[in-house]
Amino acid sequence: MMDEPWWEGRVASDVHCTLREKELKLPTFRAHSPLLKSRRFFVDILTLLSSHCQLCPAARHLAVYLLDHFMDRYNVSTSKQLYTVAVSCLLLASKFEDREDHVPKLEQINSTRILSSQNFTLTKKELLSTELLLLEAFSWNLCLPTPAHFLDYYLLASVSQKDHHCHTWPTTCPRKTKECLKEYAHYFLEVTLQDHVFYKFQPSVVAAACVGASRICLQLSPYWTRDLQRISSYSLEHLSTCIEILLVPVFR
């Protein structure tokens, strides 16, 4: 992996453009799986496992993406098969997106309360064969942009010296405001995993909407700055529908 995150490097703009091109080629999510009602349960499992193994957001989001789109295309008949597919998605995503020492070990997975409570013990052979099945299903291409791949780039422009709180006074400490906004944005990023409705939007739209929703929660004015529009190429109008969905749990 690179020593510095791509969004802080000299070619950040080029990487962003490449990701934007790649997201246009992502397949449509049809929500056809008969197991869709179980989706949230397995997303929670992936979230807990990734947190337990300290995986980065990009690995977690890629794992959920792989699980959703595999379920959307193929029939998975038993609970153990679905557990095996979910864990294999996490393993593949962590190998692709995270550091080698963060990739979950088989003993680590089997010892978690989540699997032991279901009386499941996954074997190395089962996981390797499922990983191969997943790779073939995705044509060996795991370079699949998710909102997590865009968020940190947009956060670079998330706070400005010209921002105002509550439309009346300027922020006194942009650094603290930026830290707080980053926490909000990552909270909204995790919210997007809970509902497949967010597949209606391009991943970059969802990431930008996470920043916009965070600025609204912090009552920063304007809600969407020229710098954010420049870096993302989105206006507030582009993001309004996605932002509204994100804010439903906040203002319910």
Side-chain angles (χ1 to χ4, degrees):
M1 294 180 66
M2 294 183 295
D3 291 333
E4 65 177 357
W6 70 263
W7 54 88
E8 294 178 359
R10 289 181 297 175
V11 295
S13 179
D14 293 334
V15 174
H16 176 248
C17 288
T18 300
L19 289 171
R20 291 287 288 265
E21 290 172 4
K22 286 184 177 296
E23 73 176 351
L24 296 176
K25 300 174 184 176
L26 292 174
T28 302
F29 183 72
R30 303 168 300 168
H32 282 179
S33 173
L35 295 172
L36 203 58
K37 62 182 182 297
S38 303
R39 177 190 181 275
R40 187 158 185 173
F41 174 71
F42 282 95
V43 168
D44 287 344
I45 286 177
L46 289 179
T47 300
L48 288 169
L49 278 173
S50 64
S51 177
H52 180 69
C53 299
Q54 299 181 317
L55 298 180
C56 65
R60 179 163 57 255
H61 280 254
L62 178 58
V64 172
Y65 177 93
L66 295 174
L67 177 63
D68 278 335
H69 283 265
F70 187 82
M71 287 172 58
D72 206 36
R73 296 187 219 170
Y74 302 96
N75 289 325
V76 184
S77 55
T78 69
S79 294
K80 184 171 183 181
Q81 284 178 337
L82 195 49
Y83 270 97
T84 308
V85 169
V87 172
S88 298
C89 287
L90 189 67
L91 287 171
L92 275 181
S94 63
K95 291 172 183 176
F96 190 75
E97 292 289 352
D98 219 319
R99 289 170 18 197
E100 185 178 350
D101 59 333
H102 280 189
V103 176
K105 304 292 188 292
L106 181 60
E107 300 78 17
Q108 201 176 5
I109 293 167
N110 280 328
S111 65
T112 57
R113 189 179 302 174
I114 304 161
L115 288 186
S116 58
S117 66
Q118 302 293 325
N119 295 318
F120 288 151
T121 301
L122 300 177
T123 67
K124 186 175 182 180
K125 183 178 180 181
E126 285 174 324
L127 291 173
L128 285 174
S129 62
T130 308
E131 284 183 48
L132 182 59
L133 180 66
L134 285 164
L135 286 169
E136 290 173 347
F138 289 95
S139 302
W140 295 79
N141 174 30
L142 298 186
C143 191
L144 303 163
T146 70
H149 291 93
F150 293 95
L151 183 63
D152 287 300
Y153 182 62
Y154 296 155
L155 282 172
L156 293 176
S158 60
V159 172
S160 164
Q161 292 278 0
K162 299 177 182 178
D163 286 339
H164 284 67
H165 277 297
C166 302
H167 312 285
T168 54
W169 65 86
T171 58
T172 55
C173 184
R175 181 183 59 81
K176 289 183 178 179
T177 302
K178 195 165 190 175
E179 289 174 0
C180 190
L181 191 144
K182 183 178 180 179
E183 288 186 18
Y184 266 98
H186 278 277
Y187 159 75
F188 284 121
L189 186 67
E190 296 312 300
V191 167
T192 67
L193 289 178
Q194 297 300 320
D195 196 328
H196 61 80
V197 70
F198 291 99
Y199 285 122
K200 294 196 306 184
F201 308 101
Q202 298 286 3
S204 57
V205 169
V206 176
C210 288
V211 176
S214 301
R215 287 182 61 86
I216 291 170
C217 287
L218 291 176
Q219 298 184 29
L220 295 179
S221 176
Y223 290 151
W224 197 249
T225 65
R226 289 182 180 177
D227 284 342
L228 281 166
Q229 183 160 336
R230 175 186 53 78
I231 200 172
S232 68
S233 303
Y234 292 126
S235 66
L236 188 59
E237 289 70 29
H238 275 113
L239 308 174
S240 58
T241 303
C242 191
I243 289 175
E244 287 173 12
I245 297 172
L246 283 170
L247 291 175
V248 167
V250 177
F251 296 114
R252 183 176 291 160

